[in-house]
Amino acid sequence: MKKKFGVMMVIAAMLITVIGCGSNNAGGNNSSAPANNGAPGAEGPADSSKESYKVAISQVVEHPSLDAIREGFLAALKDAGIVEGENLKLDYNNAQGDPTNYMTIAQKIAGDKYDLVLGIATPTTQALVSQVKNSPILFGGVTDPIDAKLVDNLEKPGGNVSGASDTNPEAIVQLMDFIAEHFKDVKTVGVVMNQGEPNAVIMAGHAEKALEKHGIKLIRATATNTSEVKQAAESLVGRADALYTTLDNTVVEAVSTVIQVANENDIPFFSSDRDTVEKGAFATVGFKYYDHGYQVGEMAVAVLKEGKQVGDMPVTVPDKLDLILNLKAAAEQGIEVTDAMKDMVKDKENNLLE
């Protein structure tokens, strides 16, 4: 019995040795090959598509132009493989045009950690910059980042802030030149604006300077909230030969009332954004806000996936400017659209609206 037990012990020991040796050579003679299964210590770069990102957005108000910025931004992320619901956790906040909400949202975002924060429009971005210090901030829909004290250098902003301005001052100049050239009877242009919005004040100033060269006067009508926009527009009837609106968040939210006043009184109405022209203004020199947002999104991709420092990225401005005309609005406002006007539109297929 003892002899049989001894033999069994020897056999067991031999089996253990064979199994142990086999485990060191499983899959063939590749014990020195590096592992490629994503385990810690594996050679080669990590699969960035598996990485997840946390992004916060603070948008001043719901409006087609501002919504298009957000949509373009998210489309650029998606095209780079950063997709909401997969590897992107999105915290979207709409301030509903309420100044109290700007700071409340900014403080909430500052209390958490995000891979990137986006401000859409000047007031919400100003609040973010004052509060958020531990995350990179990008902005879109901002008229003058320097005047708004978001950055002090457009080429190399420094710090944790950069983005894309939605105003190329040349666009305002081109629009005012268009008015002077093709509307000889226009001697005064009335602008409905909220004096409390820095972007509106800046753009009105650019327009005023451009009109002065042609001997045309700019008249301001103030609206402090959306309910006052129509009354402000009506106050310009009989005083202004044409109407104009800037990228004023208060006004664009109620711009349909300005269109109504223009149509009822046969007053040519010019705007600063394509969306307002699509709604019923006659003309602008502009661009697509979706493209503007996409441009900001490309900056975000460079920060999130390439590790670029946001403060080293120059602030950009729109460069695809074109005259945009709404022919139906022209009929509503008693405007005769000449061939000379149409010839100024570069992309007639997309920017000559029937």
Side-chain angles (χ1 to χ4, degrees):
M1 185 72 178
K2 288 183 179 180
K3 184 175 180 182
K4 183 177 181 181
F5 177 77
V7 171
M8 291 177 64
M9 289 293 292
V10 171
I11 293 172
M14 291 174 66
L15 286 172
I16 291 172
T17 301
V18 170
I19 293 171
C21 291
S23 66
N24 287 334
N25 291 288
N29 187 21
N30 60 357
S31 60
S32 61
N36 290 308
N37 58 2
E43 293 184 15
D47 183 357
S48 61
S49 66
K50 300 298 184 184
E51 204 167 346
S52 60
Y53 304 92
K54 189 176 179 182
V55 173
I57 297 176
S58 180
Q59 181 173 320
V60 67
V61 72
E62 294 277 346
H63 178 267
S65 294
L66 304 181
D67 294 343
I69 293 174
R70 186 179 75 251
E71 291 163 6
F73 174 83
L74 294 175
L77 296 187
K78 185 176 181 179
D79 287 347
I82 303 175
V83 183
E84 185 179 5
E86 295 181 11
N87 60 347
L88 170 62
K89 183 178 180 181
L90 185 67
D91 177 14
Y92 168 63
N93 303 270
N94 172 20
Q96 300 177 331
D98 185 343
T100 303
N101 292 339
Y102 306 159
M103 192 58 66
T104 300
I105 292 169
Q107 289 171 343
K108 184 199 80 168
I109 292 173
D112 205 341
K113 177 63 179 174
Y114 293 88
D115 297 299
L116 187 127
V117 176
L118 172 67
I120 300 179
T122 301
T124 41
T125 305
Q126 287 175 318
L128 289 172
V129 170
S130 73
Q131 299 296 315
V132 178
K133 306 300 180 183
N134 62 344
S135 300
I137 301 172
L138 290 175
F139 56 76
V142 170
T143 299
D144 191 332
I146 291 180
D147 186 83
K149 295 181 172 54
L150 302 178
V151 300
D152 55 18
N153 187 310
L154 297 179
E155 289 301 314
K156 194 167 184 178
N160 67 325
V161 184
S162 188
S165 170
D166 65 348
T167 300
N168 184 334
E170 183 59 27
I172 300 174
V173 173
Q174 288 180 20
L175 183 60
M176 299 305 124
D177 288 347
F178 174 79
I179 294 172
E181 180 180 353
H182 296 279
F183 293 81
K184 300 298 184 182
D185 293 335
V186 171
K187 302 302 177 186
T188 55
V189 173
V191 58
V192 180
M193 60 182 292
N194 181 353
Q195 294 280 5
E197 290 211 22
N199 54 323
V201 174
I202 292 164
M203 294 183 73
H206 288 315
E208 187 169 39
K209 289 180 181 178
L211 289 171
E212 282 176 353
K213 296 185 300 182
H214 302 287
I216 300 174
K217 184 178 179 181
L218 187 77
I219 303 172
R220 293 168 172 81
T222 300
T224 58
N225 56 58
T226 56
S227 65
E228 297 176 358
V229 170
K230 184 178 181 181
Q231 183 179 356
E234 290 173 335
S235 75
L236 292 168
V237 177
R239 298 193 298 140
D241 301 316
L243 299 179
Y244 168 64
T245 55
T246 67
L247 298 174
D248 184 320
N249 296 302
T250 300
V251 177
V252 296
E253 192 174 1
V255 77
S256 59
T257 62
V258 182
I259 295 169
Q260 180 184 348
V261 171
N263 292 349
E264 289 177 352
N265 295 277
D266 286 346
I267 303 175
F269 175 30
F270 303 88
S271 72
S272 296
D273 65 297
R274 180 190 183 91
D275 291 301
T276 300
V277 172
E278 291 178 350
K279 281 188 171 183
F282 167 57
T284 190
V285 172
F287 57 93
K288 292 182 178 180
Y289 269 86
Y290 180 91
D291 294 340
H292 174 68
Y294 197 95
Q295 189 175 30
V296 183
E298 289 178 321
M299 297 176 73
V301 171
V303 172
L304 296 173
K305 300 196 79 170
E306 300 170 24
K308 288 191 176 181
Q309 296 298 310
V310 71
D312 294 335
M313 306 174 77
V315 175
T316 62
V317 296
D319 55 3
K320 298 178 180 178
L321 299 178
D322 194 7
L323 179 66
I324 305 166
L325 301 179
N326 184 328
L327 302 184
K328 184 178 179 181
E332 294 283 351
Q333 295 160 23
I335 300 169
E336 180 184 352
V337 182
T338 65
D339 290 339
M341 291 181 187
K342 294 179 181 179
D343 288 343
M344 294 185 67
V345 180
K346 300 171 188 173
D347 183 359
K348 291 179 174 58
E349 182 178 350
N350 292 305
N351 294 334
L352 200 57
L353 310 181
E354 301 288 348

